[in-house]
Amino acid sequence: MEFVSDVLAWIADPAHWAGRDGIPIRILEHVQMSGVAVLLATLIALPAGLLVGHTGRGSLVVISIANVGRALPSIAILSLALIFTIRYVGLGFWPTVIALVFLAIPPIVSNTYVGIREVDRELVEAARGMGMREREIVTRVEIPIAMPVILAGLRTASVQVVATATLGAIVASGGLGRYLIDGIATRDDVRIFVGAFLVALLAIATEVFFTVLTRAVTSRGTARQGEIAPEHAAQAVRPGGL
Amino acid sequence: MRRFRAVALGASALVLLSACATGGGTQTSSSPGATTGATPGVSCEPATGESTENEITIGSAGFYEAQLMGEIYAQALEANGFTVTRELGIGPRPQTYEALRSGRVDLVPEYSGSLLSFLNLECAEEGAEAPTGDPDQTHAALTGRLEALNLAALAPAPAQDQNTFVVPPEVADEYGLETMSDVTEVAGELTWGLPPECADNPVCGPGLLEVYGIDISELDVEELAACDTPIAVALDEGQVDIGQLCSTQPDIQRFGLVVLEDDQQLQPAENIVPIVRADLLEANSELADTLDAVSAELTTEELLELGVRVAVDQEDIADVAADWLSEHGITE
């Protein structure tokens, strides 16, 4: 248990809380990279998922993207993307963020698509009958009902991004990955452990954040969500968990 | 110098497990005279094994260059009447060394400086010599170290796989750079790609200061591991002006990078050298001559060329080895 005391000593050391390589800065950098990546991915994936879910057209593309995203391990996606992105946007923050965007898109687009498809078609027809325009149907009927499933997609994407952003350190980015990659380079097991531990904490915090958010945003009428039709079950991430 | 591959996240979990298993924090070396090495599974006992005339088992580490060297030596011996069994691609150095030491294999191609450092770390000895930039001194120190272990180092090849600083041709032209000493004056004007451990590594940060008068704490630095793809791409894209690759890394040729001569010999010598069990060497009087003749033909530039054929052109290692041997008149 000498290792445990080494880890505690490392965390307790005030030098590790100050400066460019200190815990607060690294956490901040990590959150920034993850946040920007999820935001950009949402800006791309959410409208796409809404469009395909509402119209029903282009579902094959969505399903294919979701399946490829699920089949390839996130580490593989990121490593491949990084070698590509550093050629165009340099080192550090941006190639990592762009690579993470590739990672985040599949869960968001596929859950959005499934969430919208799952909305009772009779409700949609009723709304149309009332004279609602298509855009209003999406925003006032479909999205509120699909919200838990959509948020589940965002949650999955965010947790994956937080966990995988560590690899950005390979292309000179900041973030908690620096503790992992630098620790491996200097064979400092304590540093590696601290890095992994902090990333895990951050991932858990992200989960908690989305759980609270989902509860706050889901209207009471749809709170009984949990059932997804069998033909869509393969594509969606269940709201209750991964 | 062994290349460090960027390790996937999953591997850090394994590292954690192994850290707990060895009960330690950072790596320590064994105490002098110990019979087991610092790394679990490595023994410091002399090498044992069966030696039969004209029969040999050749092993190698996993990395493609190690396997290529193993294949070259294997084919050369086969052309000289040996029956060769191949166990190429065993794994990282601790496992490959232990395979040699335990007699599972009889011969392993190695890198003089790295093997010497490995033995000093694993099986510490009073007055052990560290590798230097001088190939002859390093080889002599290695030979001396191996004697007590019933192992022998054959003649080294001129080819070395060392860490080396490289620059894109535009940078070489602009600042007139040919050697590391040329860099001293203009170091502050360049963007450097340095490994994260550089400040702590004697042959990086401290060495650059002592030998070339370059203080890395005053430089514009991007942290990028040596010998890997991101630093090579960063050099090619001009995101860094100078970085560390391995001297036989195919990216040097692929991106047309200029190698800066280590004129003060800061980097430890890393000549390719076959390591063989001493008693097997005695049982096969022609083994040393045959392999020495092969090693003598291998230069760093040639090994780089072969590396390009294997790693970039994706050619079969056995074919590349066969071509090289016949080009140099060792086989038909």
Side-chain angles (χ1 to χ4, degrees), chain B residues 163-182:
Chain B
N163 276 12
T164 183
F165 283 95
V166 305
V167 292
E170 312 80 57
V171 172
D173 290 337
E174 188 184 334
Y175 296 98
L177 301 176
E178 281 180 359
T179 68
M180 281 306 290
S181 295
D182 294 339

Side-chain angles (χ1 to χ4, degrees), chain A residues 1-3 6 20 26 75 83 85-92 163-167 169-173 178 180-182 184-193 196, chain B residues 4-12 15-16 18-20 22-27 121 196-197 200 221-225 228-234 236-237 239-240 255:
Chain A
M1 289 291 98
E2 192 191 310
F3 185 70
D6 285 343
R20 233 187 97 226
R26 291 301 183 207
I75 290 168
I83 301 303
T85 55
I86 55 176
R87 282 207 172 274
Y88 297 100
V89 294
L91 298 166
T164 319
T166 47
L167 280 184
I170 293 168
V171 292
S173 82
R178 282 257 65 95
L180 280 164
I181 298 299
D182 296 353
I184 289 169
T186 54
R187 296 169 147 194
D188 185 349
D189 295 337
V190 173
R191 208 167 177 196
I192 297 170
F193 185 86
Chain B
F4 291 100
R5 291 261 164 225
V7 180
L9 263 182
S12 47
V15 171
L16 295 181
S18 66
C20 294
T22 57
T26 49
Q27 271 207 352
L121 184 74
E197 71 275 18
D200 300 325
V221 174
E222 294 281 359
E223 283 173 324
L224 294 164
D228 211 342
T229 307
I231 178 66
V233 171
D236 189 42
E237 287 292 331
Q239 288 146 10
V240 300
F255 302 143

Side-chain angles (χ1 to χ4, degrees), chain B residues 133-207:
Chain B
D134 180 353
D136 295 325
Q137 177 275 334
T138 304
H139 187 262
L142 178 64
T143 304
R145 193 78 179 74
L146 291 172
E147 242 185 274
L149 295 168
N150 187 30
L151 291 169
L154 300 184
Q160 298 192 47
D161 187 1
Q162 308 168 290
N163 276 12
T164 183
F165 283 95
V166 305
V167 292
E170 312 80 57
V171 172
D173 290 337
E174 188 184 334
Y175 296 98
L177 301 176
E178 281 180 359
T179 68
M180 281 306 290
S181 295
D182 294 339
V183 175
T184 309
E185 275 180 358
V186 300
E189 298 174 47
L190 305 171
T191 305
W192 291 69
L194 293 174
E197 71 275 18
C198 191
D200 300 325
N201 185 351
V203 299
C204 192

